Amino acid sequence: MKIILIAVALVATLTNASKVDYTGHKVIRVVPQTEEQLRFLLKLQEQTYDFWSSPSSLGKPVDIRVSPQRYQYLISTLNKVALNHTIRFFDVGKLIQQEERNVVLRRALHSGRAFDFENYHRYSEIEAFVNELAATNPLVSSSIIGTTYEGRGIIMATLSTGSSPTKPVMYFECAMHAREWVTPATCLWMMNEVATKYGTDAEITAMLDYADWLITPVSNPDGYEYTWTTDRLWRKNRTPNGGLCYGTDPNRNFDAGFGGPGASGNACSDTYHGPSAFSTEEASAFRDVLAANRGRTVAAITIHSFSQLWMSPYGYQNALPTDYAEMFRVMEISVNALTATYGTQFQYGNIADTIYIASGSSTDYAYMGEGVLYAYALELRDTGVYGFELPPDQILVTAIETFNGLKAMAKEIAAKLQ
């Protein structure tokens, strides 16, 4: 009875009346087959439609969320360029409701126990966990690397043996895009694995002996918290744009091809790049971590979802970096280790060709601005079965396979650079 009462109370909290209602919203899929269709979709993306996967090349599926009110208009618009569609999700609202029920049930069953790594958590809970780990584990310290528009501290955990101030650094950031909940869940699990298994797990011990691990579990706290309180599918931060529209996409706000293709100047767009490079606290915090560890940072990994991808620079252009052969070599080893865990298939390659053109990204900046050779962007599970609403029962398998890929990466980097 107690569990039922707790669950009822939590459901009431998560499903408050002020939340954006996605009942009847569909996700449709179109596949551009001609240059005209591709150009049309790129222009359509500049409007206020929510693209769950972006137009990038001929033959590659593009997923778009659309409200019931705009569905018929969108379909008639697509028909003008002979773009047929299929429906991926008939009711996004039902997916969100199911996710809420899953989260609530696990919370009720886990009430009073230790931190639950197989569930999703509010930002205050994440902060509390990182601070507690820092207070109880000598390998871990916590710091605030920036303060958001709404006043939240962007917390980072440093995992270090403390053996040398010149040790290499590997930096991992998660949830730059607010709605990608599985990314902070994955980063928290990895953080705990490294902190608690150092000294007993030979692979983790060697990894941390070689390099300090810096982990920002939520790079966009304002947006992330907003996905809990108001709009589950919010992507950007929460800075006002001087009108009705809020938010800048922090991952289009870096000084790496800033304002180019794959980013929008429309303040209402989900890919709005902001008024200038590093105008967001979120991008600035990432920049400042790399600057503070200049000459030490050997890897910078930004973790997103979904699509099952492992990607390297460049995002702002299709041309390949001069170091691409080495980037690709380590990507391939990493993806093979990830896939060997449960058979999950990842595509890998440069951002522009693997997913889409994206200017102003953290990955390009890490490589172009700070010279970090092993700068990668990951897109975790899945490929669209659940999309952003990945059920809590898939957190652990996602975290384990991702960590296996990153451990293989870290091992290969150490072997190359030592």
Side-chain angles (χ1 to χ4, degrees), residues 289-350:
V289 169
L290 295 189
N293 294 282
R294 187 169 293 147
R296 296 177 59 196
T297 306
V298 295
I301 314 301
T302 183
I303 300 180
H304 293 265
S305 73
F306 60 95
S307 286
Q308 296 175 195
L309 307 171
W310 195 303
M311 299 172 291
S312 71
Y314 293 118
Y316 83 101
Q317 63 174 355
N318 293 102
L320 298 176
T322 55
D323 297 303
Y324 184 69
E326 175 61 11
M327 294 173 175
F328 187 88
R329 184 186 71 84
V330 174
M331 269 194 291
E332 189 167 49
I333 290 168
S334 306
V335 169
N336 286 342
L338 185 155
T339 299
T341 310
Y342 300 114
T344 306
Q345 298 296 312
F346 268 55
Q347 295 179 358
Y348 53 98
N350 60 311

Side-chain angles (χ1 to χ4, degrees), residues 60-268:
K60 183 171 285 189
V62 177
D63 292 344
I64 311 167
R65 177 184 58 79
V66 59
S67 68
Q69 295 79 15
R70 300 181 76 185
Y71 173 69
Q72 289 299 334
Y73 175 77
L74 176 59
I75 299 312
S76 64
T77 302
L78 294 171
N79 286 340
K80 291 177 182 177
V81 289
L83 270 169
N84 297 320
H85 77 285
T86 57
I87 298 178
R88 297 281 288 166
F89 299 116
F90 282 89
D91 192 338
V92 175
K94 287 184 178 179
L95 279 178
I96 294 173
Q97 291 167 11
Q98 184 58 54
E99 179 185 59
E100 289 173 343
R101 286 192 290 268
N102 290 337
V103 169
V104 164
L105 181 58
R106 271 207 69 92
R107 286 190 175 216
L109 293 172
H110 212 269
S111 178
R113 303 180 191 177
F115 190 86
D116 184 6
F117 293 101
E118 296 183 61
N119 205 0
Y120 298 119
H121 296 274
R122 299 285 290 265
Y123 187 63
S124 60
E125 297 173 292
I126 292 171
E127 283 183 302
F129 169 76
V130 174
N131 286 325
E132 181 181 1
L133 191 63
T136 57
N137 190 305
L139 295 171
V140 184
S141 60
S142 64
S143 59
I144 300 299
I145 61 172
T147 303
T148 67
Y149 173 79
E150 293 181 350
R152 294 182 178 88
I154 304 172
I155 196 166
M156 181 180 77
T158 298
L159 293 89
S160 175
T161 61
S163 54
S164 169
T166 59
K167 273 176 63 177
V169 163
M170 297 189 183
Y171 180 44
F172 305 84
E173 74 81 15
C174 315
M176 188 73 81
H177 289 151
R179 60 190 176 186
E180 298 166 4
W181 282 11
V182 75
T183 67
T186 295
C187 286
L188 289 170
W189 183 87
M190 294 193 303
M191 183 191 305
N192 191 65
E193 284 291 289
V194 175
T196 59
K197 292 187 177 177
Y198 176 84
T200 58
D201 182 296
E203 192 174 19
I204 288 175
T205 301
M207 187 175 67
L208 200 60
D209 282 343
Y210 169 69
D212 294 342
W213 275 42
L214 280 54
I215 303 176
T216 304
V218 179
S219 290
N220 178 7
D222 289 352
Y224 180 74
E225 188 63 14
Y226 192 72
T227 63
W228 283 86
T229 62
T230 309
D231 184 349
R232 174 63 184 88
L233 296 178
W234 188 258
R235 169 185 165 103
K236 302 184 287 182
N237 69 9
R238 289 295 300 160
T239 54
N241 292 326
L244 295 176
C245 299
Y246 280 74
T248 295
D249 182 346
N251 204 39
R252 300 295 185 272
N253 191 237
F254 287 82
D255 189 11
F258 175 80
S264 176
N266 178 356
C268 298

